[in-house]
Amino acid sequence: MTEEIIIAGFGGQGVLSMGKILAYSGVMANQEVSWFPSYGPEMRGGTANVTVILSESRISSPVLNEYDTAIILNQQSMDKFEPMVKAGGVLIYDPNGIIHPPKRTDINIYKIEGTLIAAELGNVKTFNMVVLGAYLKAKPVVKMESVEKGLQKSLPARHHYLIPMNLEAVQKGFEGLELVQAV
Amino acid sequence: MGELRLMKGNEVIAEAAIRCGCDGYFGYPITPQSEVMETLMDREPWNETGMVVLQAESEIASIHMVYGAAASGKKVLTSSSSPGISLMSEGISYLAGAELPCLIVNVQRGGPGLGTIQPSQADYFQSTKGGGHGDYRLIVLAPSSVQEMNDFVELGFQLAFKYRNPALILTDGVIGQMMEKVVLADFIPRATEEEIDQKRGSWVTNGRKPNRQRNIITSLEMDSGRMEQNNLRLQAKYDRMEEEDVLFEELQCEDADYLLVAFGSSSRICQKAVDQAREKGIKVGLLRPITLFPFPKKPIAALAKRVKGILVVEMNAGQMIEDVQLAAGNVLPVMHFGRMGGIIPSPGEVVDALEQKLIGG
């Protein structure tokens, strides 16, 4: 099994760290992983994206032109990455800030009200963990216990007290995923 | 078995340097390699192994600090990205001329000039053909994974000391910035002064001992006859590298009708392109040069006799293709596909280029 994912949104939404926690979760589940970020000045307030690959076998290219799953968190990323989802693949998006919803008819589409759920949780910084939870509902590529271990590995020890709150956000996202279109 | 971590390529360079018993790092920050020094400063190896980490006032200062430390027999490195390596090039020529072992890491970005901070492989010529002045060569290693970023630090030093010659790790923003699993090397202690005297006493300038002649480190020789002898000695050394230390990897070449040749991050993209092309029924293989100097001429010459055409894939306008053409000879089409300016080609584009330039053409 190989899962090729693009996570794309604004810099500051936690796109890169969400990818990192997912990659760490893969490591904890003994998978091969790669994490390749966009980097540079465009990250400050502009768009940020990261390609994460989880696989049972050796990973070839860390750079891709089509994806099994696209997790899309702003309109620019929707415009860029919607056409790059493989036929039959998965697109997950947060409708907050999306003016033009996805139009593809050959892919599975899900919504997650990540911004709202994170606000309800009382900490908007948990937004990316809500979205991660939604993704894991749609594609259970790693177990929840691996996510917990991944959080422990990727967060410095001084932030470990935040792990229960982050796991709650993951759980809320897991429960909050809405199916828009199945193919 | 070493420790398993998830790390960026740049971070691994720093960790591997500490673990292989490096004596010092001298550098100056530049994107996309700044994590090398950031990681070193964060790790504070001076407390752990005594390794010196110094941010110099410029790349020019860094490379000459490397010269000074290497002349005293120390195991030292520097790192930079393309424009910074250009600034260092005078010093690199002096290091090669004075026959000093050291490790230089170039995490390439797009040029020319200040160019872009995005990944590129446009420093192939600079790395393998000179960069600085004079008839010199560097040992050039091209890692294609974060694991090889770890492995090639110690390998680079081993080759540098074997030949008393600078070694260069030529990588780019893709491998530098990406995270993969890596098995870190076990710690090797730094060489003591006694060990340096034992192993490198014939040339190091660490203070003349009563039982030995004065050692002189210099690239200067005003007598042309003696300078030619120096050059001949260097050339013999480079010939020996070509005999003894060529490294390369062949993937799915056994039944291949067509051959891709690519190094570093491009070779990773080509691995996927090989799979995609084979799904379409095109039998293609990949040859990945690991040492760019010494270049794997013989395996390319051998494959050139078996395949119908070669596509060289590089993130530049066509540099390594010249070495591939020289190795392959004029017996088959050798074409190039590349993107420039920080654009990373996708596996699909490589397959398209293969079909258009070789199979359809």
Side-chain angles (χ1 to χ4, degrees):
Chain A
M1 195 261 339
T2 297
E3 168 78 348
E4 298 173 334
I5 312 146
I6 181 85
I7 309 169
F10 285 121
Q13 281 179 318
V15 164
L16 299 188
S17 50
M18 177 184 163
K20 192 170 165 183
I21 290 159
L22 185 58
Y24 265 111
S25 309
V27 172
M28 293 302 128
N30 212 17
Q31 291 175 315
E32 295 302 316
V33 301
S34 80
W35 176 96
F36 178 60
S38 63
Y39 65 90
E42 79 278 10
M43 280 162 72
R44 300 203 179 96
T47 58
N49 67 68
V50 60
T51 304
V52 177
I53 306 175
L54 305 174
S55 182
E56 306 298 329
S57 47
R58 176 177 164 176
I59 292 167
S60 54
S61 177
V63 181
L64 303 165
N65 51 340
E66 49 177 20
Y67 305 93
D68 297 309
T69 301
I71 301 171
I72 291 178
L73 305 172
N74 67 5
Q75 187 62 50
Q76 290 98 315
S77 303
M78 182 71 83
D79 298 342
K80 185 170 179 190
F81 293 111
E82 184 189 351
M84 294 163 87
V85 180
K86 291 178 194 168
V90 168
L91 187 154
I92 301 171
Y93 74 107
D94 182 342
N96 181 52
I98 297 288
I99 308 157
H100 307 295
K103 293 179 208 64
R104 292 266 301 266
T105 54
D106 61 339
I107 56 174
N108 299 290
I109 299 174
Y110 297 91
K111 265 198 310 196
I112 176 68
E113 292 281 0
T115 317
L116 282 179
I117 293 171
E120 280 166 19
L121 280 167
N123 190 336
V124 291
K125 285 186 189 167
T126 60
F127 167 74
N128 60 347
M129 292 297 96
V130 174
V131 176
L132 177 62
Y135 165 68
L136 292 176
K137 177 73 187 280
K139 281 267 180 110
V141 289
V142 285
K143 294 196 185 106
M144 210 54 88
E145 65 205 49
S146 298
V147 176
E148 186 171 354
K149 283 188 200 160
L151 277 165
Q152 278 165 358
K153 269 281 186 184
S154 62
L155 291 175
R158 67 180 186 279
H159 290 150
H160 276 191
Y161 73 95
L162 296 168
I163 290 175
M165 187 176 68
N166 277 285
L167 287 174
E168 190 192 347
V170 172
Q171 188 59 37
K172 291 281 181 203
F174 194 85
E175 292 160 9
L177 183 77
E178 300 168 50
L179 179 69
V180 177
Q181 166 183 299
V183 294
Chain B
M1 183 73 174
E3 195 183 335
L4 179 72
R5 296 255 201 102
L6 180 68
M7 290 175 88
K8 280 190 171 191
N10 285 339
E11 296 166 348
V12 162
I13 293 281
E15 188 63 39
I18 299 169
R19 286 173 180 248
C20 80
C22 232
D23 296 301
Y25 170 94
F26 311 95
Y28 188 81
I30 181 170
T31 307
Q33 68 77 54
S34 295
E35 293 87 354
V36 179
M37 189 159 43
E38 283 169 12
T39 305
L40 283 167
M41 288 297 186
D42 194 46
R43 285 279 276 107
E44 302 184 351
W46 49 90
N47 291 326
E48 191 178 336
T49 69
M51 177 184 175
V52 171
V53 183
L54 190 79
Q55 179 175 338
E57 68 269 36
S58 71
E59 288 87 348
I60 299 170
S62 314
I63 196 69
H64 289 101
M65 289 173 182
V66 166
Y67 185 108
S72 63
K74 298 293 184 183
K75 187 174 182 177
V76 290
L77 83 159
T78 184
S79 66
S80 190
S81 179
S82 308
I85 298 290
S86 293
L87 278 168
M88 290 183 184
S89 290
E90 180 195 20
I92 294 173
S93 171
Y94 278 58
L95 280 154
E99 295 188 79
L100 290 175
C102 66
L103 183 66
I104 303 153
V105 181
N106 180 1
V107 186
Q108 294 167 95
R109 56 190 252 178
L114 268 184
T116 170
I117 61 173
Q118 301 301 323
S120 167
Q121 297 182 314
D123 301 349
Y124 179 90
F125 281 152
Q126 183 192 50
S127 311
T128 61
K129 314 288 177 194
H133 59 282
D135 274 321
Y136 78 89
R137 298 286 198 171
L138 302 177
I139 300 153
V140 184
L141 297 165
S144 73
S145 65
V146 173
Q147 185 65 53
E148 285 187 345
M149 291 286 258
N150 174 78
D151 301 348
F152 290 0
V153 169
E154 176 56 15
L155 176 64
F157 275 121
Q158 279 175 10
L159 292 170
F161 279 103
K162 175 178 175 182
Y163 292 106
R164 274 186 64 192
N165 201 70
L168 177 92
I169 292 180
L170 186 69
T171 181
D172 62 56
V174 175
I175 309 284
Q177 292 294 326
M178 74 186 281
M179 287 200 296
E180 287 185 309
K181 286 204 290 196
V182 55
V183 179
L184 295 172
D186 294 330
F187 281 90
I188 303 171
R190 289 172 51 227
T192 61
E193 287 302 320
E194 291 71 32
E195 285 166 338
I196 289 173
D197 280 329
Q198 264 172 26
K199 287 187 202 160
R200 305 162 199 160
S202 63
W203 57 271
V204 293
T205 50
N206 59 348
R208 188 174 79 85
K209 307 294 184 291
N211 58 352
R212 80 176 189 217
Q213 292 297 304
R214 174 182 294 166
N215 290 333
I216 298 173
I217 296 283
T218 180
S219 60
L220 177 72
E221 176 50 73
M222 296 297 278
D223 181 284
S224 294
R226 284 204 292 267
M227 191 61 209
E228 186 177 48
Q229 288 307 312
N230 285 353
N231 268 280
L232 288 169
R233 191 179 66 249
L234 292 179
Q235 293 304 317
K237 189 165 83 173
Y238 306 146
D239 288 345
R240 210 179 120 215
M241 292 175 191
E242 300 212 74
E243 285 301 313
E244 295 177 18
D245 284 295
V246 174
L247 294 170
F248 63 96
E249 183 183 21
E250 281 181 23
L251 285 165
Q252 304 193 59
C253 289
E254 301 77 20
D255 64 342
D257 290 329
Y258 298 93
L259 181 68
L260 300 177
V261 182
F263 69 95
S265 52
S266 289
S267 72
R268 292 288 294 271
I269 293 157
C270 284
Q271 279 174 36
K272 182 118 189 158
V274 166
D275 292 340
Q276 289 182 357
R278 281 180 176 263
E279 279 169 25
K280 290 179 148 191
I282 306 165
K283 284 185 184 166
V284 57
L286 169 66
L287 186 136
R288 172 172 80 96
I290 295 172
T291 48
L292 301 181
F293 185 85
F295 192 71
K297 295 173 187 169
K298 286 175 192 164
I300 290 176
L303 282 164
K305 292 190 185 112
R306 284 175 18 208
V307 298
K308 295 175 192 163
I310 298 178
L311 184 69
V312 183
V313 181
E314 311 170 73
M315 293 196 288
N316 60 41
Q319 300 193 11
M320 183 174 69
I321 187 174
E322 294 188 4
D323 286 328
V324 176
Q325 282 169 329
L326 279 171
N330 212 1
V331 297
L332 81 174
V334 178
M335 308 299 280
H336 181 262
F337 174 69
R339 297 294 303 265
M340 289 168 280
I343 302 285
I344 307 164
S346 68
E349 281 177 88
V350 175
V351 178
D352 289 347
L354 180 68
E355 289 183 308
Q356 284 160 19
K357 295 188 179 210
L358 280 179
I359 300 169

